[in-house]
């Protein structure tokens, strides 16, 4: 059973370009979460999605950032018109659908975005 | 006020030492608690869940004090391979909702 997959692992963009980060959850997992980790800082929640639904986007910047998790295919985190401050590691995590109990999240290897 | 607060360290301890990390959380409605481990430039990986009664996994012991909103992790007989950043994680529901991460406590085990 493959783990959470993210691609690309490293992404370099110039200011003003678009960045697309992809995440394929673990098999059987229907919940996807995106986190951002700035250098020397902790992980910050961005958005929580289920298939075709955004459940919680309270951590997403109001502009330039969007996320989707379509019925088919990976979850996509899209950053438009990137700025240098967007440079960070972006981690995706997934968890199974649980009616109760402890909701462990499994993390992908991350995408390291560098904005020049 | 941060949702989850940890002592950032760094903790530098000799091999074989016992070390304890503490964490406090602000939301009394929090229901799920975890310790994750993150190696440099890698993804976080679950070390252990934290149960109300406390739990132990080999050299690692986790404790939860709901009244004080406090979580701890004890590592006995430290190994060089324990060197990493330890992340305290709190979730408010048991239904897969967002995690709140502490900034992490850095541990270096010295030969």
């Amino acid at each position: 059973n493959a783990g959470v997959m993210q691609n690309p692992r490293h992404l370099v963009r110039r200011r003003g370009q678009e960045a697309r980060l992809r995440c394929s959850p673990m098999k059987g997992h229907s919940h996807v979460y995106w986190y951002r980790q700035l250098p020397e800082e902790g992980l910050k929640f961005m958005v929580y999605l289920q298939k075709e639904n955004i459940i919680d986007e309270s951590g997403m910047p109001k502009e330039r950032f969007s996320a989707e998790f379509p019925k088919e295919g990976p979850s996509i985190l899209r950053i438009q018109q990137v700025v240098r401050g967007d440079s960070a590691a972006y981690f995706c995590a997934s968890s199974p659908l649980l009616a109760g109990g402890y909701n462990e999240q499994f993390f992908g290897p991350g995408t390291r975005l560098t904005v020049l | 006020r941060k949702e989850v607060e940890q002592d950032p360290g760094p903790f530098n301890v000799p091999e074989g030492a016992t070390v304890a990390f503490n964490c406090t959380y602000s939301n009394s409605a929090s229901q799920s608690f975890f310790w994750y481990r993150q190696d440099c430039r890698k993804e976080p990986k679950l070390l252990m869940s934290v149960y109300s009664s406390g739990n132990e996994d080999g050299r690692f012991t986790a404790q939860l004090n709901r009244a004080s909103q406090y979580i701890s992790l004890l590592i006995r007989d430290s190994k060089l391979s324990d060197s990493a950043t330890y992340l305290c994680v709190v979730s408010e529901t048991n239904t897969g909702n967002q995690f709140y991460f502490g900034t992490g406590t850095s541990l270096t085990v010295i030969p």
Side-chain angles (χ1 to χ4, degrees):
Chain A
N1 187 10
V4 178
M5 299 174 67
Q6 288 187 249
N7 69 80
R9 295 290 301 276
H10 300 274
L11 182 61
V12 179
R13 286 287 178 266
R14 296 188 180 281
R15 282 180 295 171
Q17 292 184 318
E18 178 178 289
R20 279 181 175 251
L21 288 62
R22 296 174 190 79
C23 170
S24 296
M26 286 181 71
K27 187 177 180 181
H29 286 193
S30 57
H31 300 235
V32 166
Y33 314 79
W34 285 93
Y35 296 87
R36 175 165 63 176
Q37 187 171 33
L38 294 167
E40 307 303 321
E41 293 190 13
L43 280 88
K44 293 290 192 291
F45 167 79
M46 299 182 74
V47 62
Y48 162 37
L49 310 104
Q50 294 179 20
K51 286 282 187 182
E52 301 184 280
N53 280 309
I54 296 175
I55 307 302
D56 182 350
E57 57 181 347
S58 58
M60 287 278 271
K62 294 288 183 273
E63 297 177 349
R64 303 187 298 108
F65 285 72
S66 62
E68 62 176 5
F69 189 16
K71 186 176 180 180
E72 301 291 336
S75 175
I76 306 286
L77 178 67
R78 182 182 178 204
I79 311 172
Q80 295 177 289
Q81 299 175 330
V82 295
V83 300
R84 288 212 174 112
D86 296 333
S87 296
Y90 292 82
F91 289 99
C92 169
S94 72
S95 70
L97 177 63
L98 294 173
Y102 291 90
N103 51 323
E104 176 187 349
Q105 293 181 16
F106 297 83
F107 283 79
T111 294
R112 279 168 178 76
L113 173 65
T114 302
V115 180
L116 301 177
Chain B
R1 184 181 176 186
K2 292 182 180 178
E3 295 278 350
V4 180
E5 298 211 42
Q6 289 183 253
D7 180 347
F11 285 70
N12 299 313
V13 303
E15 271 187 288
T18 295
V19 61
F21 304 139
N22 302 318
C23 167
T24 57
Y25 59 95
S26 61
N27 189 343
S28 59
S30 299
Q31 295 191 31
S32 301
F33 309 90
F34 309 87
W35 283 100
Y36 274 70
R37 168 190 171 137
Q38 187 174 26
D39 292 283
C40 186
R41 301 185 67 78
K42 300 281 189 179
E43 73 272 25
K45 292 186 178 178
L46 179 69
L47 179 64
M48 58 197 304
S49 302
V50 186
Y51 305 124
S52 295
S53 55
N55 47 301
E56 186 175 310
D57 182 2
R59 298 181 293 108
F60 299 85
T61 301
Q63 298 278 352
L64 168 64
N65 183 323
R66 285 188 184 270
S68 302
Q69 295 178 202
Y70 170 95
I71 308 160
S72 65
L73 176 68
L74 183 76
I75 305 175
R76 291 181 298 278
D77 189 21
S78 299
K79 311 291 185 191
L80 296 178
S81 57
D82 294 335
S83 298
T85 297
Y86 290 83
L87 305 171
C88 177
V89 184
V90 171
S91 175
E92 292 181 355
T93 74
N94 287 340
T95 56
N97 215 328
Q98 62 167 295
F99 276 9
Y100 293 95
F101 282 82
T103 52
T105 300
S106 173
L107 171 67
T108 301
V109 181
I110 304 164

